[in-house]
Amino acid sequence: MAQAQATRGDQQHLKAQQAQEQPEAIQYGHVFAVTGDLAVQAIAPRDAEAMRTAEDSVQGVPVPQASGGGFSAAVAMETAAAYNQAVGAVRPGQASDAATRQGITVTQTAVPGGRIVTEFVAGQVVGQYSVADQAMMGQQQQQVDEGKVTIGEAMEAAALSAGERPVEEADAAAIRAAETRAQGADKVMPGGLADQAWAAASANNWAERDEDKITIGDVLSDATTKLADDKPAEHEDAARVVQAETYSDAGARTKAGGVGAALTTAARLNQEDDDDA
């Protein structure tokens, strides 16, 4: 009897040890600003596949860099689902309960000058993008001071110079600061560049392989088309972005070729242009 009790005790200890060693799955709440039952559910492979299919059905939704575009909710979901499957938290082809019951959809709403694309999982928003009409984009470009580098263009420059580097929290903080400066408001667009950057940084914290991580290029390519508004970069804009970037960096440093450096260069060029005028 004593031996049997000892055996059961060993088995329980082994199960407890295995549970502790099992890596935690990436849940929706880790990546997106969602609540309730969805927030605690693991992002599953079939969820990611469904979001990719939904995005592909709507023209103008950003796609992964490998396909020639930018960041979208499907990118974060695919990264998270791959990690969850690799650690055994979900099975191949598995879908989350919330997504199965309430579905995954992508909608678009016409607004003056373009449309708003919104991505849903189980009825909750996980991504939102502004897609400008080509004619309106041309008018907006004419409104920007000729020869001036805008904040959006500076972010696109960062996408080129640091495009292959995975997004970190310091990058997300800099992108948020840049987006707010470009739009002239303290609030950012839900699902916009800032939200995409924070989702990418969160997903990257869980990704084990560098090739599975979301890069600066994924988020910031075509940044000018993802901003609700844009303006020429000024020294105050650059200072705010650099401050946000260094404050969130463990070493209190700016990122080489990052958003802070790009804004600083853009502001300097714009000032030189004014001086020469």
Side-chain angles (χ1 to χ4, degrees):
M1 175 67 75
Q3 184 177 2
Q5 289 177 341
T7 300
R8 286 197 295 271
D10 291 341
Q11 291 175 343
Q12 291 174 351
H13 176 73
L14 179 60
K15 289 180 179 179
Q17 185 178 19
Q18 291 174 339
Q20 292 177 349
E21 294 175 351
Q22 176 69 37
E24 183 181 3
I26 302 178
Q27 302 170 354
Y28 276 98
H30 292 149
V31 180
F32 303 109
V34 296
T35 60
D37 183 47
L38 178 63
V40 297
Q41 294 200 17
I43 300 177
R46 188 168 294 178
D47 297 6
E49 293 174 6
M51 180 59 76
R52 171 63 60 211
T53 300
E55 287 183 356
D56 289 344
S57 69
V58 179
Q59 183 181 7
V61 173
V63 296
Q65 189 178 25
S67 300
F71 174 88
S72 69
V75 178
M77 291 174 66
E78 287 166 347
T79 299
Y83 171 85
N84 288 343
Q85 184 173 318
V87 301
V90 296
R91 302 183 309 276
Q94 181 178 338
S96 66
D97 292 339
T100 299
R101 292 196 308 268
Q102 298 177 267
I104 291 175
T105 57
V106 176
T107 66
Q108 55 180 329
T109 304
V111 295
R115 54 203 168 94
I116 301 296
V117 177
T118 308
E119 302 176 324
F120 298 89
V121 174
Q124 298 194 48
V125 176
V126 296
Q128 192 172 65
Y129 316 93
S130 60
V131 181
D133 290 340
Q134 293 299 320
M136 178 60 66
M137 289 173 60
Q139 294 174 9
Q140 290 176 343
Q141 187 64 35
Q142 291 175 2
Q143 293 172 0
V144 176
D145 292 345
E146 185 177 357
K148 294 292 184 71
V149 182
T150 70
I151 293 175
E153 289 170 339
M155 287 196 282
E156 289 181 352
L160 294 174
S161 61
E164 296 300 318
R165 182 168 58 77
V167 179
E168 300 176 2
E169 290 185 4
D171 301 308
I175 291 169
R176 177 183 175 84
E179 184 177 27
T180 58
R181 298 296 299 182
Q183 297 176 167
D186 291 335
K187 295 182 179 180
V188 296
M189 181 178 179
L193 285 174
D195 281 359
Q196 294 173 34
W198 283 113
S202 179
N204 288 346
N205 284 336
W206 295 87
E208 293 185 335
R209 302 185 307 168
D210 286 343
E211 54 264 37
D212 292 332
K213 294 182 178 182
I214 301 166
T215 68
I216 299 292
D218 291 332
V219 176
L220 292 183
S221 63
D222 299 323
T224 53
T225 67
K226 301 173 187 176
L227 291 170
D229 200 0
D230 202 357
K231 64 183 284 290
E234 300 176 352
H235 284 300
E236 186 178 353
D237 304 320
R240 292 290 183 88
V241 172
V242 168
Q243 182 182 37
E245 189 172 85
T246 55
Y247 181 81
S248 299
D249 182 73
R253 298 183 300 267
T254 57
K255 300 291 186 182
V259 177
L263 261 290
T264 299
T265 300
R268 177 176 56 79
L269 292 173
N270 290 342
Q271 183 61 51
E272 291 176 354
D273 184 62
D274 287 339
D275 293 342
D276 292 338

